[in-house]
Amino acid sequence: MAAFDDSSDPDLGAACNRLAMWVESLPERALIDPASELTEDDLALILRRLHAMRHLGDDRPATDRPPVTVARASVPVTAKS
């Protein structure tokens, strides 16, 4: 599970952790909302970018992303430092 340790905004960190846990339980590429075509991949992408932005301190996407693997890792699996 992603560990959004956001001491500057604990409510956001807690909400992101709950969302990450929910997204991780979904089947890969699951359709969340047919009307908007929102998928599990979309939510995972949003969480990865938000996680990277919180660690980089700005709006730049992470440049050294881990390689895409066949194993399920749709949201970042991180440890608190």
Side-chain angles (χ1 to χ4, degrees), residues 5-78:
D5 183 17
D6 196 346
S7 57
S8 65
D9 192 343
D11 291 335
L12 176 62
C16 286
N17 283 324
R18 287 190 302 273
L19 181 59
M21 206 166 30
W22 184 75
V23 170
E24 285 178 343
S25 71
L26 296 171
E28 197 166 354
R29 294 181 184 32
L31 184 62
I32 307 300
D33 178 46
S36 67
E37 297 183 358
L38 179 70
T39 66
E40 177 269 345
D41 289 338
D42 296 329
L43 291 177
L45 174 66
I46 291 165
L47 284 167
R48 280 194 302 271
R49 295 281 172 87
L50 179 59
H51 189 266
M53 285 176 10
R54 300 306 291 176
H55 286 288
L56 293 173
D58 59 21
D59 292 340
R60 292 179 295 144
T63 55
D64 48 285
R65 291 189 192 140
V68 176
T69 62
V70 176
R72 172 130 168 97
S74 60
V75 291
V77 178
T78 60

